[in-house]
Amino acid sequence: MDDPLIVVTLLLVAACATAAVAVRDPERQALVLAVLGTTLAVLFTVLQAPDVALSQLAVGSALTPLLLLLSVRKVRRRGRKKDKAR
């Protein structure tokens, strides 16, 4: 495989991982996590592991960020209801 392509993909993964750590808002973290999962799927495809790439695309790019996003919204909604009750 082309070494420059692997290096570029690894740099993209490192940049997305750094962004996921640097973002403070949980909703934005979930979205950056989805982008990180997509870049990891691209990396696995470049490294000729298509089965792992498909699993990463399904779980890491779609399912996990969606569950995190729904959880954060549910927690925030409950917090607002408690504040209104007081």
Side-chain angles (χ1 to χ4, degrees):
M1 185 56 39
D2 230 2
D3 285 338
L5 184 61
I6 294 173
V7 170
V8 168
T9 311
L10 281 171
L11 289 174
L12 281 173
V13 168
C16 288
T18 304
V21 172
V23 173
R24 292 287 185 192
D25 183 36
E27 288 179 350
R28 289 186 182 178
Q29 279 179 339
L31 295 175
V32 174
L33 185 63
V35 174
L36 175 61
T38 305
T39 56
L40 280 171
V42 170
L43 175 65
F44 294 142
T45 304
V46 168
L47 294 175
Q48 297 179 353
D51 52 344
V52 179
L54 283 173
S55 298
Q56 177 64 32
L57 199 57
V59 175
S61 299
L63 191 62
T64 303
L66 178 66
L67 288 174
L68 286 172
L69 200 58
L70 291 173
S71 299
V72 167
R73 289 190 178 181
K74 181 109 177 172
V75 167
R76 286 188 177 170
R77 198 175 320 138
R78 281 188 182 172
R80 287 184 195 143
K81 285 181 182 178
K82 285 183 181 179
D83 288 340
K84 287 181 181 179
R86 289 182 183 177

